[in-house]
Amino acid sequence: MRKSIALLLGLSLATLTACEQAPGNSGAASSDAASAVISEAVSDAAPATAETPAASSRDTTTEQRNVLDGFVDFSADTAGGSLKCARAAAVLVEYLSCADIDASTAADWMTDLTQDQRDLLDINWAGILANAQNIAADPASQTDLLSCAGVTTDFTGMVLTGVPDKLVILNTVFTGKAG
């Protein structure tokens, strides 16, 4: 199941990256990053004979950073920003439904951001957080927004009870506030 989610996450991130590239912008770095995400997700999704304890305790730092990278791939204060926030929130909620993003990984990721990326995180985070909270609280009420944003994940059948607490942790890392 985790391998399927990793594949879907990788494809979602690749789609986000591809959709966000405007004509005339250099998309080589984003394209390379998307290819790396897809390659990693596909290799993670390769058939396994039996899951061993070592496989389940693998380092997920790269996966976590890939989810976080989606927060700074766009600017919420531009046209379509609310839909981009909804897509980023959907990827986040889907990931958090089955895994954690460690506070230390999020803090390290934030430290590694350029000033431009930090500015984007500041602009985008409130919208991403609000959308993620809404998805976790009542996924059915978010169906129209997510559909408009191009999200096809059915959150209504997912267990999302742990997601709000995980969002509080991320919000504390990004803003210094728990609420």
Side-chain angles (χ1 to χ4, degrees):
M1 169 108 177
R2 284 184 185 248
K3 292 178 182 179
S4 297
I5 291 175
L7 177 60
L8 290 173
L9 177 62
L11 293 175
S12 295
L13 287 171
T15 301
L16 279 173
T17 302
C19 290
E20 301 311 318
Q21 293 176 7
N25 287 350
S26 172
S30 295
S31 178
D32 291 346
S35 297
V37 169
I38 291 172
S39 297
E40 180 182 308
V42 170
S43 68
D44 284 348
T49 53
E51 186 150 339
T52 63
S56 63
S57 64
R58 72 184 182 2
D59 182 15
T60 60
T61 303
T62 302
E63 288 176 4
Q64 295 173 42
R65 284 179 162 268
N66 287 340
V67 171
L68 298 171
D69 285 345
F71 300 171
V72 295
D73 282 345
F74 65 94
S75 181
D77 63 353
T78 60
S82 61
L83 295 177
K84 294 169 189 174
C85 282
R87 279 195 306 253
V91 170
L92 177 62
V93 170
E94 186 170 358
Y95 186 82
L96 293 178
S97 72
C98 63
D100 293 335
I101 294 181
D102 300 321
S104 61
T105 299
D108 290 345
W109 171 82
M110 198 166 95
T111 300
D112 292 341
L113 294 177
T114 66
Q115 186 57 50
D116 287 343
Q117 290 171 319
R118 282 179 183 248
D119 293 344
L120 286 173
L121 180 63
D122 290 343
I123 292 167
N124 299 342
W125 176 242
I128 294 168
L129 177 62
N131 281 303
Q133 290 170 327
N134 291 337
I135 294 168
D138 186 6
S141 71
Q142 301 304 303
T143 303
D144 289 341
L145 172 65
L146 295 174
S147 177
C148 288
V151 176
T152 58
T153 304
D154 180 12
F155 290 99
T156 59
M158 298 172 76
V159 178
L160 304 174
T161 53
V163 172
D165 291 337
K166 296 174 184 181
L167 291 171
V168 168
I169 293 168
L170 285 176
N171 192 53
T172 302
V173 170
F174 296 151
T175 68
K177 301 174 190 170

